[in-house]
Amino acid sequence: MLLPENTSWVILAGGQGKRMGEKDKGLILLNDRPLIAHVFERLSAQTSDIRISANQNVAFYSQFAPVIQDHLQGFLGPMGGIHAALCELNKDWVGFVPCDCPALTENLVERFCCAVTEESEILVAHDGLSAQPVFSLYHKKVLGRLVTFLSDGERKMKRFYQECNTQFVDFSDEPYCFINLNTPKELKDFSDNTSQQRLSADVQRK
């Protein structure tokens, strides 16, 4: 089994946030805290080796973890952040999660590590219905193929996964952990639901 301490993890916060009014999603407040704080809190309980992939508001993100900026020109989506992280980090295995998923499960790192085999090149979370391509763990051996992939103008993660030995990690028992907040309505709905859950918990304790 791959040990968690032999992995590095990166929170991808380099998106354009078009459906959020082109705001930097990691900085958007959820229950009075930026989204990045929620994700970092959950991930840091599982590993101490964390970076943040971001191309703006670097000083802010640096309060949480060292920041990796894209190496390649132009907006490449999450693949740009993945490329930069694989170039910069020393460990063979590098994992990725998005900055807009505040319900990150508490054993994500462990479950990914347990799923690694000798043949693994990329592992991707699966919620029982569909793959969750950003929640992933890459071996650095795929970096050369990724460079070629991006040089050819390709950007889609699922397309790259077809070129590698990609295995899926079963999270069908916790599909809720992949909820991502892309719009102001989704943010409000999630905030309202979590507030109701906290209220119910308080009532039960009393």
Side-chain angles (χ1 to χ4, degrees), residues 142-192:
V142 305
L143 178 57
R145 271 170 281 170
L146 179 56
V147 170
T148 300
F149 182 81
L150 295 174
S151 298
D152 289 342
E154 298 281 0
R155 300 290 182 267
K156 293 184 178 180
M157 303 180 81
K158 290 182 179 180
R159 173 75 182 84
F160 183 63
Y161 294 159
Q162 295 172 359
E163 298 189 6
C164 301
N165 188 344
T166 299
Q167 299 167 338
F168 295 97
V169 185
D170 182 18
F171 285 88
S172 58
D173 57 326
E174 293 192 73
Y176 179 79
C177 77
F178 300 113
I179 289 177
N180 62 320
L181 308 179
N182 287 313
T183 67
K185 184 180 185 303
E186 290 175 354
L187 186 74
K188 182 180 184 303
D189 289 347
F190 186 89
S191 178
D192 290 345

Side-chain angles (χ1 to χ4, degrees), residues 198-206:
R198 286 199 304 270
L199 180 60
S200 297
D202 289 342
V203 170
Q204 290 174 3
R205 281 196 293 269
K206 292 177 181 178

Side-chain angles (χ1 to χ4, degrees), residues 7-118:
T7 63
S8 298
W9 287 81
V10 180
I11 303 173
L12 296 169
Q16 294 178 315
K18 289 184 177 180
R19 285 183 284 175
M20 278 289 190
E22 298 188 352
K23 296 178 181 178
D24 189 340
K25 280 204 288 187
L27 275 62
I28 292 175
L29 297 183
L30 171 66
N31 299 329
D32 300 320
R33 300 172 65 210
L35 277 173
I36 188 67
H38 291 273
V39 178
F40 180 80
E41 180 179 62
R42 286 179 173 260
L43 188 59
S44 62
Q46 306 177 49
T47 177
S48 60
D49 193 346
I50 299 175
R51 306 291 192 281
I52 296 174
S53 167
N55 298 304
Q56 57 183 333
N57 299 306
V58 171
F60 179 84
Y61 285 120
S62 296
Q63 299 175 69
F64 298 92
V67 172
I68 297 173
Q69 295 181 262
D70 287 3
H71 290 194
L72 303 175
Q73 296 296 315
F75 179 70
L76 304 181
M79 299 303 278
I82 290 170
H83 166 266
L86 293 178
C87 287
E88 288 195 22
L89 298 176
N90 295 322
K91 293 180 180 177
D92 286 339
W93 287 98
V94 182
F96 301 91
V97 299
C99 72
D100 59 355
C101 292
L104 197 69
T105 185
E106 63 184 12
N107 63 356
L108 180 135
V109 172
E110 179 183 4
R111 290 172 74 158
F112 265 99
C113 289
C114 287
V116 170
T117 68
E118 290 185 2

